[in-house]
């Protein structure tokens, strides 16, 4: 039967008319514009702009928690830097923000084996005050298991959720294994828990807890919520396995308030201002534990360096807009504020927010009519070791809602294998950035911009259209 089916399929294929067969032939190779290739290779070999930006931002400002005085200093730093680099229309677009900041925090097993555990509060955690809370631990291996537990089993206890996140190149584990952090606190609160600790959403085995945002759903009373470092979560699992009741004392002091954040915007004006611009960016805010080098100092550095390299080459046809979004971490607030304030159309948008390791894939959401243009970008990126992914989907953090609303987007995917070793930990520092991989990122963004923005006219050129 199988053989007959195969034969029928082969005969069927052979009987197809010629045009259908022609569709299966590989598409002809796409030649890359020499000016685009030169810009790409120069960035890949020599770019220092990105390093200069991320080194400066992480050294002169350091951590930049959303809505904090440090984030305001970072905006001032960004404005000065973007002006010094020669961008036009450099300005801040402020927006109000509900803030949350961390105070003293500690976790300690009181019984049966007294010892301290490494913990960090999650964003929007309720404050225990310095007195802390004490309770018996009830453990689950997933959010679903917590969801299924009877309220009576959870009430008055401290919930612990374990999981087994593993590293992946595309970082997809973050979506799946992030559930304990994102949904666990709300569910635990609704079931009457007095607190919750989760295994960090991380892939390392350092004693660094990974913080990150969670938001209590409407109606759920905020409770103290923290993340244990991976080794400490594993330690707690071993203690629980001894079968005796485990008592935990949790001190998570924090403060909620009102503040201001803002997006920093800069332009490289195109020769035809009537054309929709190309937007590139990253986010300026960071968590408070490290200095926000990979998340996301590198991102603003990569996007800005690429735009600066186009500026050095001359004037593109289309305007390039660079945005350093504020307050991405607590809930994409910079992207949402930008979307609310800007109704003008964009030719394309891309955001770098996944560290500084090599880009390995590019996805497009430019629409079916622009597939050839997407292929041209793919061809320009191929020599950097970047494969072309899909033509109907691209994502980004701050720009995500705009792409979802129909804005054309491009997603340049960085290798995420080691991203969640560092993400939202004290270890997110400048030394983790590899200069060569950072340059490869800049090269990819530069090549993409060079294709998207149209011919770049060198200031020395006399005739319109003469390319560098
Ligand atoms: Zn980020
Ligand atoms: Zn982040």
């Amino acid at each position: 039967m199988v053989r007959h089916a195969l034969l029928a399929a082969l005969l069927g294929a052979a009987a197809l008319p010629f045009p259908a067969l022609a569709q299966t032939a590989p598409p002809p190779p796409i030649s890359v514009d020499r000016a685009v290739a030169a810009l790409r290779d120069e960035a890949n070999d020599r770019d220092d702009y990105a390093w200069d930006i991320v080194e400066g931002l992480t050294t002169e400002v350091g951590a930049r928690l959303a809505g904090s005085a440090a984030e305001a200093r970072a905006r001032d730093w960004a404005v000065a830097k973007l002006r010094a680099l020669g961008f036009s229309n450099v300005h801040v677009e402020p927006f109000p923000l509900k803030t949350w900041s961390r105070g003293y925090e500690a976790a300690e097993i009181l019984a049966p084996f007294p010892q301290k555990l490494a913990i960090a509060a999650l964003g929007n955690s309720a404050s225990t005050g310095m007195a802390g809370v004490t309770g018996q631990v009830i453990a689950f291996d997933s959010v679903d298991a917590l969801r299924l537990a009877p309220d009576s089993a959870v009430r008055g206890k401290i919930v612990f959720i374990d999981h087994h996140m593993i590293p992946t190149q595309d970082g997809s584990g973050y979506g799946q294994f992030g559930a304990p952090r994102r949904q666990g606190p709300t569910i635990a609160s609704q079931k009457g828990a007095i607190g919750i600790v989760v295994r960090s959403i991380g892939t390392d085995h350092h004693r660094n807890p990974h913080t990150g945002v969670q938001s209590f759903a409407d109606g759920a009373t905020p409770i103290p919520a923290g993340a244990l470092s991976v080794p400490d979560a594993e330690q707690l699992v071993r203690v629980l396995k001894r079968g005796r009741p485990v008592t935990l004392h949790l001190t998570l002091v924090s403060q909620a308030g009102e503040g201001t954040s803002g997006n920093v915007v800069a332009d490289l004006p195109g020769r035809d201002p009537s054309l929709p611009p190309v937007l590139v960016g990253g986010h300026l805010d960071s968590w408070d534990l490290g200095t926000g080098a990979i998340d996301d100092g590198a991102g603003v550095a990569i996007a800005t360096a690429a735009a600066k390299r186009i500026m050095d080459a001359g004037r593109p046809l289309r305007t390039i807009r660079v945005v350093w979004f504020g307050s991405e971490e607590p809930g994409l607030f910079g992207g949402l504020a930008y979307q609310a304030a800007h109704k003008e159309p964009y030719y394309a948008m891309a955001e770098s927010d996944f560290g500084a390791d090599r880009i390995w894939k590019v996805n497009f959401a430019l629409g079916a009519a622009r597939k050839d243009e997407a292929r041209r970008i793919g061809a320009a990126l191929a020599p950097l070791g970047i494969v072309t992914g899909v033509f109907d989907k691209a994502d980004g953090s701050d720009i995500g809602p705009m792409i979802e609303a129909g804005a054309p987007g491009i997603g340049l995917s960085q290798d995420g294998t080691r991203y969640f070793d560092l993400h939202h930990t004290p270890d997110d520092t400048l030394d983790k950035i590899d200069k060569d991989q950072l340059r490869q990122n800049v090269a990819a963004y530069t090549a993409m911009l060079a294709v998207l923005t149209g011919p770049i006219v060198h200031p020395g050129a006399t005739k319109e259209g003469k390319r560098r």
Side-chain angles (χ1 to χ4, degrees):
M1 278 304 283
V2 171
R3 210 168 266 181
H4 283 155
L6 183 64
L7 189 62
L10 285 170
L11 286 171
L16 284 173
F18 177 71
L21 269 183
Q23 278 175 11
T24 63
I30 301 163
S31 63
V32 178
D33 185 294
R34 274 171 52 201
V36 172
L39 280 166
R40 175 197 65 210
D41 295 344
E42 209 176 285
N44 199 37
D45 291 345
R46 279 188 284 283
D47 181 74
D48 284 328
Y49 287 130
W51 179 263
D52 175 63
I53 292 168
V54 69
E55 193 269 350
L57 181 64
T58 55
T59 304
E60 294 170 25
V61 182
R64 312 170 289 284
L65 188 68
S68 67
E71 199 201 22
R73 285 198 301 276
R75 283 194 294 280
D76 293 343
W77 191 94
V79 166
K81 188 66 178 181
L82 288 160
R83 284 195 180 135
L85 287 169
F87 286 93
S88 305
N89 188 28
V90 180
H91 66 280
V92 176
E93 299 182 358
F95 56 89
L97 184 81
K98 287 200 189 321
T99 58
W100 177 91
S101 60
R102 181 187 313 280
Y104 176 77
E105 46 198 14
E108 191 170 2
I109 296 174
L110 301 181
F113 313 123
Q115 57 191 291
K116 289 179 179 170
L117 300 175
I119 193 166
L122 296 173
N124 299 320
S125 165
S127 181
T128 60
M130 283 306 288
V133 293
T134 303
Q136 191 184 327
V137 175
I138 178 163
F140 301 94
D141 60 6
S142 69
V143 161
D144 289 334
L146 168 62
R147 209 176 262 129
L148 291 172
D151 293 4
S152 58
V154 175
R155 193 170 297 123
K157 298 204 172 104
I158 295 175
V159 166
F160 165 60
I161 307 182
D162 196 20
H163 61 86
H164 295 93
M165 182 173 175
I166 49 161
T168 53
Q169 186 181 20
D170 67 359
S172 53
Y174 192 51
Q176 187 185 347
F177 294 100
R181 187 191 90 201
R182 286 187 280 261
Q183 295 155 32
T186 287
I187 302 168
S189 163
Q190 286 165 342
K191 288 181 180 289
I194 59 166
I196 176 171
V197 294
V198 302
R199 174 172 158 147
S200 281
I201 315 306
T203 49
D204 61 304
H205 271 83
H206 291 268
R207 244 185 139 178
N208 288 329
H210 297 235
T211 190
V213 79
Q214 61 82 38
S215 301
F216 289 99
D218 287 343
T221 309
I223 56 172
L228 296 171
S229 82
V230 170
D232 288 86
E234 291 178 348
Q235 176 81 331
L236 180 57
V237 168
R238 282 189 296 271
V239 171
L240 286 158
K241 270 191 180 155
R242 300 299 201 266
R244 289 158 63 184
V246 175
T247 308
L248 192 66
H249 182 66
L250 203 56
T251 314
L252 298 175
V253 179
S254 61
Q255 184 141 28
E258 307 276 333
T260 302
S261 185
N263 296 320
V264 182
V265 175
D267 288 339
L268 168 56
R271 285 176 286 122
D272 186 348
S274 72
L275 294 175
V278 177
L279 184 156
V280 287
H283 67 85
L284 179 56
D285 67 309
S286 77
W287 278 104
D288 50 343
L289 301 177
T291 60
I294 65 151
D295 187 14
D296 187 30
V300 295
I302 290 161
T304 307
K308 171 63 178 165
R309 301 197 73 84
I310 301 285
M311 185 198 295
D312 289 353
R315 274 192 86 179
L317 183 62
R318 292 174 184 282
T319 295
I320 298 174
R321 168 153 286 196
V322 177
V323 184
W324 296 24
F325 293 99
S327 299
E328 186 273 350
E329 294 292 1
L332 313 180
F333 292 113
L336 294 169
Y338 190 88
Q339 183 180 31
H342 294 269
K343 299 301 179 192
E344 68 275 13
Y346 286 86
Y347 189 65
M349 47 180 68
E351 181 174 6
S352 174
D353 184 18
F354 202 53
D357 280 352
R358 295 184 70 82
I359 294 170
W360 65 280
K361 185 177 71 172
V362 56
N363 285 336
F364 298 95
L366 297 176
R370 289 170 62 188
K371 205 164 174 180
D372 281 348
E373 187 184 7
R375 284 216 171 89
R376 283 212 312 283
I377 296 169
L381 298 181
L384 296 170
I386 298 169
V387 298
T388 293
V390 299
F391 293 97
D392 59 354
K393 193 182 181 307
D395 45 28
S397 37
D398 300 275
I399 63 169
M402 290 186 273
I403 294 176
E404 242 161 67
I410 299 177
L412 293 155
S413 309
Q414 287 143 316
D415 187 324
T417 310
R418 65 180 190 133
Y419 186 64
F420 292 105
D421 290 353
L422 310 167
H423 183 246
H424 297 181
T425 73
D427 245 358
D428 178 1
T429 49
L430 183 69
D431 50 294
K432 309 307 183 303
I433 295 180
D434 176 295
K435 278 186 181 177
D436 286 338
Q437 298 196 61
L438 183 69
R439 286 192 178 112
Q440 188 260 11
N441 276 263
V442 177
Y445 272 77
T446 304
M448 174 190 74
L449 283 175
V451 176
L452 285 170
T453 58
I456 298 159
V457 175
H458 191 261
T462 48
K463 257 169 56 184
E464 181 85 351
K466 186 177 173 188
R467 293 189 194 179
R468 182 177 179 273

